Amino acid sequence: MIRVLHIIETIMSGGVERTRLSLAKLIDKSKFELKIICTNAVGSLPTEFENLGIEIFEIGDFKSVFDIKQHLKVQKIIADFKPHIIHGAVFEGVTMAAINGYIKNVPIIIIEETSDPKNRSWKGNLLMKFLTIPSDKVIAVSPGVMEYLSNTLYLSKNKSLLLNNGVKIPEKSKQNEIDELKLFYGINSDCVVIGSVGRMLYDEHKRYSDLIKAFAILIRKGLNVKLILVSGGHLKESYQKLAIELNVQDHIIFTGYQNNPDKYYAIFDVFCLVSAYEAFGLVLAEAMLHRLPIVATRVGGMKYIVKDNETGFLVEKFDVQNIANKLEELFSNEHLRKTFGENGYTRAINNYTEEIYVKNLVNIYNQLLMKKINLYVI
């Protein structure tokens, strides 16, 4: 039995936690035993992990990167579990994995860059570079992140590797459920629904303000559109105020956090994500698996997931007018929406499913196990 210890920051509803949940669901548990260390665990995902038999060690927040008391907690868990592999993700998780994996002599140390660190300080880059030294492999979750590892951290091709994230293939929503949801929100058959999914925590990240402003341009033109934001977070009230200021409050639906957003994807006609930065953008892959055309910003990993003029449109970040233009183009052309949607589905099913992700990650584990401790798990 190969023991793998994953270390991440908060387990909530983000992409890192969801890829770990995919791994927990699909990995062969007769050959691999998984445990997770995190700082905090909130929401419904911890229960899902527990139902899959994955033990979570919740150790609390770090006061600083080098919080000795917290690192000692991690070392105690490592000593008890004796992992063959330690796999850290998110900056805090990377720090815990690299430092304590080295101190406790864990055979294989993997760290994973899961962000699009365009604004990381030189000190942060220096620390990240330091953390790569004891690591056997540094995973990038998208080609955009690979650029950071190569061009900023100057990692060799032998040290870094690309592992695209993956998402579950959605179950087809029942037509009566779709009809009921549209009726509930007052969406008529002629209305084109623009949707987005994500957390409303930092506007400098997801830029829902830009999406709302672009949507207001469509409303001022008299287009029959609705905007549905499947999002929770402390900025929700601010965005609602912005909608009122722009006089579009009657055309925007704020659903709040949804544990299973599949039924909302099913009523979208267009998916839009206009983040200022994004390492991957799991919701783009989800939308493509729902056969939705995309409007997304040309940043981070998103510019590699979305094929411009093939699966959707790419626009420059902060360009509210162009976001509106591309949304209007999709509004006006149903055939283009269907073509982009089908192209996107094909691209996602061939590249971005959780089955592909888990298979590729297990292959990485096997390669390192064979190289470092002469073990191979079929």
Side-chain angles (χ1 to χ4, degrees):
M1 181 75 75
I2 299 301
R3 296 179 295 276
V4 184
L5 180 62
H6 283 267
I7 307 184
I8 60 179
E9 210 250 334
T10 300
I11 294 180
M12 190 162 55
S13 60
V16 176
E17 305 95 290
R18 289 159 62 197
T19 57
R20 297 309 180 270
L21 187 64
S22 294
L23 182 65
K25 287 192 302 181
L26 298 177
I27 201 167
D28 188 341
K29 293 185 181 62
S30 69
K31 298 171 181 175
F32 290 91
E33 181 182 5
L34 307 181
K35 294 183 186 293
I36 299 175
I37 294 174
C38 68
T39 55
N40 299 284
V42 298
S44 62
L45 278 187
T47 301
E48 293 188 52
F49 279 110
E50 290 170 7
N51 291 340
L52 292 167
I54 308 301
E55 186 175 5
I56 296 173
F57 300 95
E58 187 177 0
I59 63 172
D61 293 325
F62 275 63
K63 293 180 180 178
S64 70
V65 171
F66 300 107
D67 187 332
I68 300 300
K69 289 184 178 179
Q70 294 299 85
H71 283 293
L72 289 175
K73 292 179 185 178
V74 175
Q75 290 174 30
K76 175 65 167 58
I77 295 166
I78 293 172
D80 291 341
F81 184 42
K82 296 179 175 59
H84 299 91
I85 300 171
I86 192 166
H87 184 165
V90 188
F91 199 82
E92 294 84 349
V94 165
T95 302
M96 286 186 270
I99 292 175
N100 299 299
Y102 175 75
I103 290 172
K104 300 304 291 183
N105 200 29
V106 176
I108 297 168
I109 300 172
I110 299 171
I111 62 175
E112 186 172 328
E113 179 57 83
T114 60
S115 64
D116 182 22
K118 298 297 184 185
N119 299 317
R120 184 174 288 165
S121 69
W122 68 268
K123 290 181 180 179
N125 288 329
L126 184 62
L127 176 58
M128 187 66 182
K129 177 71 174 179
F130 170 76
L131 296 173
T132 68
I133 295 172
S135 304
D136 295 283
K137 287 292 181 182
V138 183
I139 292 175
V141 299
S142 74
V145 177
M146 277 294 287
E147 292 176 359
Y148 167 76
L149 297 182
S150 300
N151 300 335
T152 302
L153 299 189
Y154 302 106
L155 296 188
S156 69
K157 292 182 179 179
N158 291 330
K159 177 75 94 170
S160 60
L161 57 86
L162 172 64
L163 175 63
N164 283 312
N165 280 332
V167 298
K168 70 174 183 177
I169 299 173
E171 296 181 6
K172 186 174 177 60
S173 298
K174 296 178 181 178
Q175 188 59 49
N176 67 309
E177 293 176 342
I178 296 172
D179 293 341
E180 288 174 3
L181 198 59
K182 286 187 173 183
L183 181 63
F184 179 78
Y185 286 119
I187 299 170
N188 59 50
S189 59
D190 296 326
C191 183
V192 171
V193 179
I194 300 164
S196 194
V197 178
R199 291 179 287 185
M200 293 178 169
L201 299 179
Y202 309 101
D203 191 53
E204 59 269 24
H205 179 198
K206 296 294 184 182
R207 298 300 301 179
Y208 283 113
S209 59
D210 290 340
L211 177 53
I212 293 170
K213 291 172 185 175
F215 178 75
I217 294 173
L218 305 185
I219 294 299
R220 287 197 293 271
K221 289 187 174 186
L223 304 187
N224 185 11
V225 289
K226 287 273 190 183
L227 175 61
I228 299 182
L229 301 178
V230 185
S231 315
H234 66 270
L235 288 182
K236 178 182 174 183
E237 186 176 337
S238 296
Y239 292 132
Q240 289 173 322
K241 289 180 180 178
L242 176 61
I244 293 171
E245 290 171 9
L246 296 172
N247 197 29
V248 294
Q249 68 273 18
D250 295 334
H251 305 276
I252 300 181
I253 297 164
F254 294 87
T255 71
Y257 171 76
Q258 300 293 321
N259 184 46
N260 182 5
D262 282 350
K263 63 181 180 180
Y264 289 93
Y265 282 110
I267 65 172
F268 296 166
D269 297 295
V270 178
F271 188 84
C272 189
L273 186 67
V274 294
S275 304
Y277 56 91
E278 202 77 55
F280 185 85
L282 280 179
V283 292
L284 294 178
E286 290 178 349
M288 290 159 69
L289 286 171
H290 281 86
R291 291 181 165 87
L292 291 173
I294 308 291
V295 175
T297 36
R298 196 189 306 272
V299 299
M302 301 207 297
K303 63 180 179 286
Y304 297 98
I305 297 173
V306 178
K307 288 292 184 180
D308 196 22
N309 289 298
E310 182 179 324
T311 67
F313 291 124
L314 289 171
V315 298
E316 299 306 318
K317 62 182 179 180
F318 313 133
D319 191 343
V320 171
Q321 183 60 59
N322 202 27
I323 295 167
N325 292 344
K326 295 306 183 184
L327 289 173
E328 184 176 2
E329 188 171 344
L330 288 172
F331 167 85
S332 305
N333 193 331
E334 183 178 1
H335 175 72
L336 187 61
R337 295 201 301 267
K338 290 182 178 179
T339 299
F340 281 179
E342 289 301 324
N343 291 345
Y345 176 80
T346 300
R347 180 166 173 74
I349 205 73
N350 290 330
N351 295 280
Y352 305 127
T353 68
E354 62 181 1
E355 287 81 6
I356 294 171
Y357 168 79
V358 172
K359 178 182 177 181
N360 289 338
L361 181 55
V362 171
N363 284 340
I364 293 169
Y365 288 168
N366 273 324
Q367 291 168 12
L368 291 171
L369 286 165
M370 189 67 185
K371 179 180 178 181
K372 294 295 293 284
I373 51 181
N374 200 30
L375 284 174
Y376 186 80
V377 182
I378 298 174

